[in-house]
Amino acid sequence: MLTITDLSHIYPNGVKAISNLNLTIPTGMFGLLGPNGAGKSTLMRSIATLQTPTQGAIQFGEIDVLKQPTRLRAQLGYLPQEFGVYPRVSALQLLDHFARLKGFSKTKERKEMIEGLLSQVNLWEARKKAVASFSGGMRQRFGIAQALIGDPKLLIVDEPTAGLDPEERARFLNLLASLSDEAVIILSTHIVEDVSDLCPSMAIMAGGRIVLEGKTSELIGRLDGIVWRKVVSRTEVAEHQSQYRVIATRLFAGETVLHVLSETDPANGFLPLQQGLEELYMATMQQDRAVDRRTP
Amino acid sequence: MFWTITRFEAWYQLRNVYLLAWAFLSLSVTSAIFLYEPMRIDPGESLISTSATYFLLIFLGIVVGLMVPMTAILGGAVVRDLQLGSGELLKATLLTRTGYVFGRFLGAFLPIALIYLLHIVLIWLVCQWPSLPANKYPDFELAALLQPAAIMASTLLSMACILFAVGTLARSALVSYIIIALLIGAWVFTLTKVEFGGYEEMRNALDWTGFASVLLANDTLSIHERNTELLTLSPDFYRNRTVWLCIGGLSLLAAWLLQGTRGGLWGNRRIDAAAGPMPPEDGQLKRYQTKLDLAALRTQIWARLTLDLKRIVISPAFGLLIAGAIYLFWIIANNTGSFGDRGIEPVTRLLVKELYNPSMLLVALTASIFASELVWSDTDRRIHELIDVTPTTSWVYVIPKLLVVCFATMSFVLVGSAAGLAAQAAKGYPLFEVGKIALWLWLPMSLTVLQFSAVALFCHCVTPNKVWGWVLYIALAIGISLLSDLTGVDHVLFDYAFVELVPLSDFNGQAHFWKNNVWLQLHWTLIACIFLLSAVLMWRRGVEQRLKPRLAALSIELRSATGLALAVVCLASLASGSWIFYHTNVVNSFLTDGGYKKWAAQSERDLAPLESWPGPTIVALKLEVDIRPKKVTATASGALTLENRTNRPLTQFILNHGSIFLESASMPGANLKEEIKDYGIAVWTFTKPLKPGEKRDLTFKSSIDGNTVASENPPTAVVSNGSFIESSKLVPSVRIDRGSWLIDPKERQKYDLPEKRPLPDAMVDENNYTPGSAWVDADIIVSTDVGQIPVAPGILVRETVKDDRVTRHYRPPVKINNAFAVQSANYVVKRERIELANGPVDLEIYHLPNFTRNVEVIMTAMKSSVQTFSELYGPYPFGVLRIIQTPSYGARDIAAQAYSGTVPFYEDGGWLQIIENRKWVDDLSHITAHEVAHMWWGHQVRPSARPGARVLTEGLAEMSSWIVLKNLFPNDSTFSYFHDAESAYSTGRGKEKTGEPTLSTLEGEDYLAYGKAPIVLDSLRTAIGPHAFDAALRSFIETHGFADRPYPNVQDLIGSIKQAAKPEVHSVIDQLFNERTTWNSEISYLDIVKPTKTRAAVRLTARAWIETLDKLGKPVRSTGIKGAPLRFFESIRCSEDELKRTAELNNVTAPDILRDNCMMTEQIAQYTVDLKPSPQNLQFDLPTTRWGSGVRLGDAVRWGGKGAVNSQSYASSLYPHEDFLPSQKPK
C-alpha cells in the first residue's frame, strides 16, 4: 500500500504544484485523472523519487520513500510521459543496460528476462535496431518494457497508451492487469476509458489537490440520475450554457450534444444519460472550477 | 527574404544574454587595459603604447576573445533549427536555401561585427580621455588604430565563415568549440613553438590571424619607428589574407551545399524504423526478482562504465581532440631538439620537459569537456528519469564517469607521448625510452588527471547547467591559481593540481626532487577525493537541477559511510596542507611575488645607505667543501682574509651572507654588532680597529640542504650526481649586493624607488663581478663520495681517498676572481696538453661517460682558442683549463659560463648539440671560444662597476671568439655569428623599456653586450687593422690584467683603441661607442646607355649618410659621407676553384649542379664621390667594353640592365662599411 500524507510541493517560481495532498493507494490498479497542470506528474515524480517534495511524507509498505529512495527504487517500475534514449543503441542493448542498473547480475537470467519483455511488447523483430530510430509507438512499447524489468511492486505509468494503436493498447492493458494482483500500479492518463476499464480505485486531481477519490464503480454510481443529455443546434449552445450546469459539449455525427448536471429532470428535451467515468470526470472538473470561482 | 532572415537573426542574436555579457566583459577588459595600469598589456615594449604594433596585439586579443561567442552564435545559427524542430516550419515558407544560409550567416555575424566596432570606438575614446597622464598616449594617430583594426577584421570575417561552416557540418556545439580550441591551440604552438627552419612560408600560411607575417615584417623597427609608422605589410601578409579569406568563402559555400544534403534542412530526412506487426498474445510475463548485492553493484558500475566509455570514445569530439593532440604534441616534440637556435639531440628528458606543461594544460581543459558531457548527457537526451529511478547509488554514476574522464584525458598524455617518441625517432633518436616517460610523465600526470577529473565532475554535478559548470570549474581549477598569481598571493597551496615537473637531468634523472613533489601530489589528491566524495553526496537525480534541495538533504547524506569518508579525507587534507604550509612559510621564508618585490624595494631603501660604508677587502680565500651526494647536503668551512685597503682605520664592516645558511662566523678582534636577518646582513665591529694595510682572517661555516618539501624552486646545487655549487651559495661577501634589487622601471616607480640609483662613489670603482673582493689567492679543498670527481679552480695539488671519500686539493697558480664553482659527479676526463711559448697548458674536459659525441669538437675549439688568445693577448695564466659538463637545472637558457680556469658547460646547450656540417661554424665551437676568451676578458681584465663594463667582458669575449671561428672555419663565408649579433641588436633595441643606451652607458642590455659591442669592435679591428687592434688589446691587458682598484672601464678601452688608430678614425670610434648611429647608403636610380662599343654612359641617383639617433631610435642628425667609393662591377660565372669551394662548403658532391647558379662579381671601375643625405644625380662615362651589371655603394647594390631589380639598393647598418671609413693602415 502506498500512503501519501500532507504532501506539498512548491516550485522555485512560486507555483504550488501539490497542496497538502493525502492519498492512500492499495495494491492493484489505481487511476489518476486530472487536467493538464493538475500536479499529476509532480506527484508521480515525487513518488518515483525523482523529485523531493517541499513537505509531506510518502510511505510504501515499510519504506519511507523520501528517506530510503534506493529501497523503493529496487521495487519500482516507472514510465514517464516522455523520455529520450541513447543514440545508436539497440533495444536489446538498452534494455540490457536497464536490467544491469536494476541489479540483475546474472547474464543468463537477464537475457531471458529481456527477451521475454521484448516479445511481450512486440519489439522482438526490431530488437537490434537503434531505439532512437523507433516510431513513437515503438518507443512507447520500449518504455513499457523497461518499466516492467524486475517485477516491480510499485509501477508508475504516465500516459502509457498514448501513441499505441488500439490493438497494442489492449495488449498493454492486459499486461498491466496481470501484474495488478501483487503490485501497486498507478496509471495516470487522459484516456478515461483506460481507468474505467482497468482501475478499481481512482482519484481525480485538480489544482494540486485530490478533488475526488474512491472506488471507481462507486464514484460513477454517484451520478445515477443526475446527468442528462440533449442534442441542440449550435446557436442554442450559449443559451443552454447559461441556463444549465453544462459539464460537456460534444459533437456527435455533426450535431452538438450537451451534457448537463441536474438533480431533477430538466425537461426541455433533455434525456437521462447512462453515466460513465468521463461524465464523472467532467462533472468533477465543472464543480471544481465553480468552487475555484467562488473562492476569494 | 534574405534581408528578412538577416534582420531577424541579427535581432535574435542581439537579445542573447550571453553575447551581451561577453561584449560587456570584453569591452570592460579592453578599457581596463588602457586605463588601469596593473592590467596594461606589456609586450616588453613599455615605450610603445599607441603604435600600430601595440594596437595589433590588442585587436588580436579581442578577436581571439570573440572566437568564443562567435562559435556559439555562428555555429548554432543554422543548427538550432534542426535541434528545435523549427526548420520544417521555415522550409514550408517561401524561404530559399540561399536566403536562409547566407541570411543566417550575415545576421549572426553582424552583432559580432558591431561588438568589434564598439571596441575600436572604445579604444579611440580612451586614448582621448582627458584625465589620462599626458605622456601616456602621446602620439596617438587614428590611422595607427584603424590599420591593425582592419587587419584583424579580415581575420574576424574569415573565421566567422569557417565557424559557421563547422557548426553546420558538425551539428554539435561541443565539436565547434573543440575545433576552435584546436585552431587557437595550434596557432599558439605554431607561432611560439615551431622552428620552421627554411619553411617560414608554411608558418605564415598556417597562421589564420595573419599576425605572424605582420610581426615578422616589422620585427626590427626601432621604438621611434614603431611609435610613428604604420605597419609594413609584406607580400606574405597579402598572400596569407587571400588564402584565409578564400578558405572562409569556400567554407560558407560548403555550408550552403551541406544544407542540401541528407543531414541538412533542404535534404531528404531520415525515416523511422517501422513497427512490426502485432503478434498474438502469448501468456503471462515470467517474473524475475532483483537482489542488490555486491555482484549487482559490480554489474551496475560496469554497465555505466562501458556505456560512458563508448559514449566518449566513439564521439567525433574525442576523435577530433585526439587528432588535435597528436598534431600539437608532434609540433611541441619537434621543438625538443633545439636549444635557442641550436639543434640538439632530443633526449627523453627534454622531450618530457616539453610535453609536461602542455599535457597538464590539455588535461585541465579537456577534463571539463568530458565531465560536462558525461554528467549532462542523460539529461540532455531526456533519459535521466528512466536511469534515475533504478536502484543505484550515486557511486554507480560517479566512479564510472571519473574513470572515463581520467581515461579520456590521459589518452592525450599517451598519444602526446607517442607523438613525442615518433618525433624523437624522426630526429634520429630511436631509443623509445618508454620507462623514463612512464616514470617522469605518466606517473605524475595520472595524478594530475585524477585531480582535474574529480574537480570537473564535482563542478558539473553541483551546478544547474553546463555554463555554470564551466564557470565553477574555471574558477576552482584555474581561476584560484590565476587570481592568486594576479593578485600576488601566489602560494603553492592555491595552485590546485598544478605540480611542477621535477627538475630532470641526464646526470641522475629526477634525482631526489620527486620527494619534493610527493606532498603536493598527496595533498591535491586528497582535495580531489573531497571533490569526488562531495559529488557522490550531492549527485543530481531526477528532475531537480537546483543545488539547494541537495544541500538541504546533505545533513542526512553526511551520516552515511561516504560522509564519514569525507570527514576523514578532509582531516587528512588539512594535515597535508598544514605540513606544506609549515615547510613553505615557517621552515622556509615564503614571499609572494608581490611580497618579494616589496621586500626588494624595502631592502634597497634600507641597504642603500650601507653601500657607501668603507669596508675591508677580501684578498685571500681558503675553502673546504664537503659534498654529500647521497644525503643531498654540502657543508663548507673556510676563511676569508680581509685587508684594510683604505687609508683610515676601519671600525666596522658588513658581512653579507644573503640567502646562504651561515652556521657560524668568527674573527679575532671583531664582534657581531647587529644582524639584519631579513636581508642576511650582519654588521660587525672591530674591537681593535683594522689599520690601513692590516689583514685579518674571518672564519665561517655554511651549509646547503637540498631536501625540501613542496618547494616551487627546490635548490639544485647539491644532487646525487652532478653537484654544481657556486661560491656565492657558500661564501659570504663584505659588501652590499644589488642582485635582488628591482630593475624594471615600472616596478621601481610602483614601489616609489628612484628611476635609477647611481652607485655611490665608494662602489663605482669597485669591480662589477665581486664587489668588496680583490683578486684573491685561493686554496680550495673539495671532498665527495668515491666514484665521483670533485672539481674546483686551480692546479690539483693532492688527491686522497679515505673512508669512501675522495678529497682533492686545488690551488690556482695566480689570483682569481672570488666567484667560482665547485662540482662533483661521476665524470670521465679527456686530457690534452698544449705547449705554448710561455709554458704548457693542460686542457681537461670532464664529462659523463656516455657523452662523448662532442668532446673532440670542444677540445679542438679549446686548443685553438687558448693558442689564438695567448698569441694575441698574452699568456694563459691559470695553467689548466677545465670544461665541465654540468646539469642544466639553473642554466637559465645559457649554454655555459666562465670562471677562472673552469667553464661549466651545461648539458643541454653543449653536450647534446648536433653538428651536421663540420665545415660550417658550429655553436659549440663558438660557445667554447667565447668562454675561453673570458679567461682574458673577465678573468684577467675585470671592469669596474661603471656603465659600459660589459663591453670589456662580453663584447670583447664575443669579438675574440669570432677570430677563433675565422681560423677554425676559413671556408665559412656565411658569418652566421655576425648576422646573429646584428639580428640580436636590431630586434633588441625595439623592445627597450627605457630607451637604448650607448655602448659606453650600457648596463645589463644583452642585445648591446652580445650584439652591437662585438660588431663595433670587429669592424674597428677591420678598420684599424687586426695587428694594431690586437696589439692595443694586448697592451690593455698588460696594463689592467689582474690589477686591483681602480678597475678599468670602457673609456679606458676607447682610449687604448684610439691610440692604435689614426686621428681621422677617432670621431668614428666616438660615434660607435658614445652615440647611436647608423651608416646608410642608397642607389635609387640607375640607367645604362652604351653609346659606343668601348664606352658606357651611366646615370644614377645616390646618397650616403650617417644618421644619429636618440634613445628611441628617432633620427636627430644626418651628415653626408665624404669620399664614398662607387664601385662598378660585372657579374661573372664562378671560377672552377670557387665552384669547388662552394660545393665543398655545402656538402655538394657534384659541383656541376651548382654551375648555373654560382656567380661572382668583378670590379670594373671605381669613382670616389662626396655624398649627402639627400639624393644626388650623378653621371659617369666609363671607358669599358665589358661593364654592364651594376653599382655598389657600401652595402647598397643596384643591378643594371633590362628589368633589373634589387632589394639591397638601400642599406643601413650600425657600423660603417669599410668603404666609408677614412683610409686605414696599421700605424
Side-chain angles (χ1 to χ4, degrees), chain A residues 149-292:
Chain A
I149 292 173
D151 188 23
K153 295 289 175 283
L154 174 61
L155 184 62
I156 302 170
V157 285
D158 197 352
E159 296 290 348
T161 53
L164 299 185
D165 60 38
E167 196 181 5
E168 286 171 338
R169 177 171 162 253
R171 184 186 172 107
F172 173 63
L173 295 180
N174 285 342
L175 193 61
L176 283 186
S178 71
L179 299 170
S180 64
D181 294 345
E182 296 172 18
V184 173
I185 302 173
I186 304 173
L187 172 68
S188 166
T189 181
H190 288 111
I191 303 172
V192 178
E193 258 181 65
D194 285 355
V195 175
S196 59
D197 292 352
L198 283 174
C199 303
S201 308
M202 60 161 289
I204 297 175
M205 272 189 88
R209 292 172 292 115
I210 299 290
V211 290
L212 192 68
E213 181 203 350
K215 291 197 177 301
T216 311
S217 54
E218 285 176 13
L219 293 175
I220 294 171
R222 286 186 199 175
L223 296 179
D224 271 353
I226 61 169
V227 184
W228 308 82
R229 71 184 287 272
K230 182 184 178 186
V231 178
V232 296
S233 66
R234 283 182 195 174
T235 54
E236 293 172 317
V237 172
E239 185 193 336
H240 278 76
Q241 278 180 331
S242 64
Q243 287 180 7
Y244 301 98
R245 287 170 65 190
V246 178
I247 59 170
T249 307
R250 296 223 169 141
L251 285 173
F252 182 74
E255 292 183 308
T256 305
V257 182
L258 292 183
H259 292 190
V260 302
L261 210 59
S262 174
E263 302 289 334
T264 56
D265 184 351
N268 195 16
F270 279 96
L271 297 172
L273 178 69
Q274 180 64 44
Q275 73 276 17
L277 185 56
E278 189 169 344
E279 282 68 34
L280 174 70
Y281 175 74
M282 294 294 190
T284 308
M285 286 298 100
Q286 203 273 345
Q287 281 175 338
D288 187 60
R289 278 193 290 272
V291 171
D292 273 357

Side-chain angles (χ1 to χ4, degrees), chain B residues 597-746:
Chain B
K597 286 171 184 163
K598 205 171 165 187
W599 171 87
Q602 192 56 41
S603 82
E604 180 177 335
R605 277 189 283 270
D606 291 345
L607 300 180
L610 306 185
E611 275 193 309
S612 51
W613 279 21
T617 302
I618 298 170
V619 296
L621 162 78
K622 282 186 179 172
L623 185 68
E624 198 169 332
V625 184
D626 191 16
I627 301 172
R628 300 280 170 172
K630 285 178 194 148
K631 292 181 182 171
V632 204
T633 59
T635 53
S637 57
L640 295 172
T641 304
L642 305 185
E643 181 182 346
N644 182 355
R645 291 193 169 180
T646 68
N647 51 12
R648 277 184 291 183
L650 292 172
T651 55
Q652 59 183 3
F653 71 99
I654 289 163
L655 188 67
N656 179 357
H657 62 88
S659 58
I660 297 170
F661 185 68
L662 193 67
E663 293 178 354
S664 66
S666 64
M667 187 179 201
N671 289 328
L672 175 67
K673 179 188 168 193
E674 182 190 355
E675 201 163 1
I676 314 172
K677 283 190 175 168
D678 280 353
Y679 312 127
I681 301 286
V683 179
W684 286 62
T685 52
F686 290 109
T687 50
K688 186 181 159 195
L690 192 69
K691 289 182 282 189
E694 185 187 349
K695 291 179 185 172
R696 254 182 248 175
D697 282 356
L698 179 133
T699 54
F700 64 91
K701 282 187 179 173
S702 56
S703 62
I704 295 173
D705 187 349
N707 299 294
T708 49
V709 171
S711 169
E712 283 185 297
N713 296 300
T716 55
V718 188
V719 284
S720 53
N721 185 26
S723 299
F724 170 65
I725 311 171
E726 290 160 298
S727 57
S728 59
K729 290 188 168 69
L730 291 171
V731 182
S733 72
V734 291
R735 291 288 189 280
I736 298 300
D737 179 11
R738 289 188 166 205
S740 59
W741 293 7
L742 297 176
I743 298 170
D744 187 89
K746 271 170 67 183

Side-chain angles (χ1 to χ4, degrees), chain A residues 83-95 118 123-136 138-139 142, chain B residues 270-275:
Chain A
F83 64 91
V85 292
Y86 298 127
R88 298 180 295 278
V89 177
S90 71
L92 197 63
Q93 289 169 326
L94 195 52
L95 219 47
L118 284 168
L123 286 176
W124 179 251
E125 294 297 322
R127 68 190 184 283
K128 290 181 180 169
K129 289 183 179 169
V131 186
S133 69
F134 281 5
S135 67
M138 290 171 80
R139 189 179 284 212
F142 176 83
Chain B
R270 185 177 181 165
I271 297 167
D272 288 337

